[in-house]
Amino acid sequence: MLPATCHNLEFGRTGFVDFSACGCFFNSSFDLFSKRNYARQVIKSVHMGYYGGGRRLICCRRDSNIAKCRVFSTKAPGTLVNGDVPGPPGVLNEKEESTTDLFEVVSDDLLTLNKNLQSIVGAENPVLMSAAEQIFSAGGKRMRPALVFLVSRATLALTGLEELTKEHRRLAEIIEMIHTASLIHDDVLDESDMRRGQETVHQLYGTRVAVLAGDFMFAQSSWYLANLENLEVIKLISQVIKDFASGEIKQASSLFDCDVELDEYLIKSYYKTASLIAASTKGAAIFSGVGNDVSEQMYQYGKNLGLSFQIVDDILDFTQSAEQLGKPAGSDLAKGNLTAPVIFALENKSKLREIIESEFCETGSLDEAIKLVMNSGGIERAQSLAKQKADVAIQCLQCLPHSAFRLALEGMVKFNLERID
């Protein structure tokens, strides 16, 4: 087992230990038993009232032979919006080299974001924070906050601003919290055991903790959103949270429904994916002080990028292996969630309809259904749809001045399509 060193662990105001505030995340050096054991110990400590009394600074070194902790008194650090927070910064995931390159122009902004997330997500709630960190450390690309920073910096020149405002930065943090909360809840609803090749929060900590962790992050993000004191942005982001629920209801009410139409699929995809991306890009433009025409173009950019991204994900559910996906291939179809490739395939494959409506009751029927989708032209038509949405997104960027940030926004659209080339 690899050695792991922890520093700057602090008790929250309620007296609970927060192992995440130090930047020492649960990763490969902590095996599954360690994660579960840690969660149980903290929950037990909370219920029994342990760790009560002032704030502490804990330094812990752990390897195969050593487990030592030292506890010191310390004062609580303040959390600053500009990122001047204590503790080592988080790091960008290096698995996705293409997106890392695209986001290089806002890499400093993303490092600041990572530091702030450690502080504002839940230093007072160690169990919930450790559950959220399972998502934060599971290979996420920080795409949504990166888009906030890219649009923010791309629009600064239009209004004469020289630097990002504290509202820009807080918006990016709120967006990532909302996204993380939605992932935790999605995995509970979908009964998913794996995400990005790692066990999901509810698999590790139980459904109750997962639901509470998602609820807490939605509530925490809403509180920070209200403190932005911009009614237009508050309405914009609040609608996203409503859209998430609407999307889940639409999906649940249309499972195994072979009469679902493409427009219904796109509406559901907007609710579940594109709504948050569109709100991210429009909100960033609003805080730059641009006119309504530009902010609307940024909204349309985010919306169409989000739709294209979801369509591509749905294609990959058929074309990639379980190892590449981090979950079983064809998992959406198996659950009765009919996506663009299936909807197109159903137009000329009556046998596919029979199999889906039987809810895969016969052995091998799911594999047969996947083959029918692959051989129907549904994949190719879905690819064409993804490219149509991508073209619209690119056109929406014409209102921006030429810059490295605009190029990165265009590159994000192209990178998404390259996933299916």
Side-chain angles (χ1 to χ4, degrees):
M1 181 177 292
L2 297 174
T5 305
C6 303
H7 305 284
N8 295 342
L9 307 184
E10 174 170 72
F11 285 92
R13 281 195 286 269
T14 52
F16 305 156
V17 172
D18 177 13
F19 274 45
S20 56
C22 68
C24 301
F25 307 139
F26 291 134
N27 53 30
S28 59
S29 63
F30 269 40
D31 58 23
L32 179 59
F33 173 80
S34 301
K35 293 182 184 180
R36 286 176 172 158
N37 187 58
Y38 165 70
R40 285 196 296 268
Q41 290 299 320
V42 174
I43 293 171
K44 176 182 177 182
S45 301
V46 169
H47 286 311
M48 298 185 67
Y50 291 174
Y51 307 133
R55 301 172 180 275
R56 306 287 186 194
L57 177 69
I58 302 177
C59 293
C60 171
R61 178 173 177 83
R62 181 179 185 275
D63 57 29
S64 58
N65 300 310
I66 303 173
K68 298 180 180 178
C69 293
R70 289 185 290 174
V71 181
F72 307 94
S73 298
T74 185
K75 294 182 179 180
T79 302
L80 302 179
V81 173
N82 65 6
D84 295 326
V85 295
V91 294
L92 293 175
N93 184 275
E94 296 296 334
K95 295 179 181 178
E96 298 288 348
E97 293 182 358
S98 296
T99 51
T100 301
D101 292 342
L102 284 172
F103 299 157
E104 179 62 30
V105 290
V106 290
S107 59
D108 289 343
D109 296 324
L110 288 169
L111 287 172
T112 297
L113 171 99
N114 286 349
K115 288 193 292 184
N116 283 353
L117 283 174
Q118 296 174 30
S119 300
I120 70 174
V121 170
E124 301 173 23
N125 297 269
V127 178
L128 301 185
M129 182 56 199
S130 62
E133 187 52 45
Q134 175 67 9
I135 291 288
F136 283 148
S137 63
K141 299 178 287 292
R142 299 286 195 266
M143 182 186 82
R144 289 152 189 84
L147 288 171
V148 170
F149 293 133
L150 288 172
V151 171
S152 298
R153 293 197 174 277
T155 52
L156 288 181
L158 295 174
T159 56
L161 291 176
E162 295 183 358
E163 188 49 72
L164 299 187
T165 66
K166 63 181 182 181
E167 287 81 13
H168 283 126
R169 297 191 183 280
R170 184 46 53 89
L171 174 65
E173 295 156 9
I174 290 168
I175 293 297
E176 186 65 4
M177 282 193 288
I178 291 174
H179 175 57
T180 302
S182 73
L183 294 182
I184 294 172
H185 280 179
D186 279 353
D187 288 337
V188 173
L189 291 171
D190 297 340
E191 299 180 346
S192 299
D193 296 333
M194 302 291 291
R195 177 174 287 279
R196 299 174 185 142
Q198 294 192 23
E199 287 194 280
T200 54
V201 171
H202 77 88
Q203 179 74 2
L204 284 171
Y205 303 107
T207 298
R208 183 174 182 176
V209 170
V211 171
L212 289 173
D215 288 348
F216 174 77
M217 293 188 71
F218 274 129
Q220 189 83 325
S221 63
S222 296
W223 187 86
Y224 282 109
L225 176 63
N227 280 274
L228 288 177
E229 298 183 349
N230 183 299
L231 187 58
E232 185 177 6
V233 175
I234 290 172
K235 288 181 177 180
L236 185 68
I237 306 300
S238 297
Q239 181 66 43
V240 170
I241 299 176
K242 177 184 174 183
D243 288 344
F244 280 149
S246 297
E248 289 297 343
I249 293 169
K250 275 189 171 293
Q251 180 167 299
S253 63
S254 62
L255 295 178
F256 299 101
D257 180 6
C258 293
D259 293 318
V260 65
E261 297 182 355
L262 184 64
D263 285 347
E264 296 176 73
Y265 161 78
L266 290 174
I267 291 171
K268 182 201 70 176
S269 298
Y270 170 77
Y271 284 155
K272 289 176 63 67
T273 302
S275 177
L276 180 59
I277 297 176
S280 303
T281 49
K282 182 176 182 178
I286 290 171
F287 283 131
S288 290
V290 300
N292 291 337
D293 54 340
V294 175
S295 64
E296 179 59 26
Q297 287 296 302
M298 293 303 95
Y299 175 84
Q300 292 298 327
Y301 166 80
K303 174 184 174 180
N304 284 280
L305 171 61
L307 290 174
S308 181
F309 207 92
Q310 184 60 59
I311 296 165
V312 168
D313 272 354
D314 294 337
I315 293 169
L316 294 177
D317 193 48
F318 288 95
T319 60
Q320 285 193 337
S321 65
E323 290 74 19
Q324 291 171 307
L325 290 169
K327 61 179 181 179
S331 58
D332 282 332
L333 180 58
K335 296 168 185 174
N337 179 24
L338 308 189
T339 57
V342 181
I343 293 171
F344 287 128
L346 281 167
E347 292 181 9
N348 55 21
K349 294 288 183 180
S350 57
K351 178 63 174 177
L352 179 60
R353 173 182 284 268
E354 293 175 13
I355 296 173
I356 293 174
E357 289 181 342
S358 73
E359 300 187 11
F360 311 110
C361 61
E362 296 183 8
T363 302
S365 58
L366 176 60
D367 290 336
E368 184 180 358
I370 291 173
K371 289 179 182 177
L372 287 170
V373 173
M374 296 293 292
N375 296 328
S376 67
I379 299 294
E380 291 76 15
R381 291 180 65 185
Q383 288 174 331
S384 178
L385 180 62
K387 290 175 182 177
Q388 289 174 23
K389 299 301 178 184
D391 288 342
V392 175
I394 292 288
Q395 287 299 313
C396 291
L397 296 174
Q398 301 305 307
C399 64
L400 299 177
H402 289 283
S403 67
F405 309 110
R406 174 176 159 175
L407 286 175
L409 290 168
E410 293 174 352
M412 189 65 231
V413 179
K414 296 171 183 175
F415 164 77
N416 176 52
L417 293 178
E418 287 170 359
R419 297 193 295 152
I420 53 174
D421 284 345

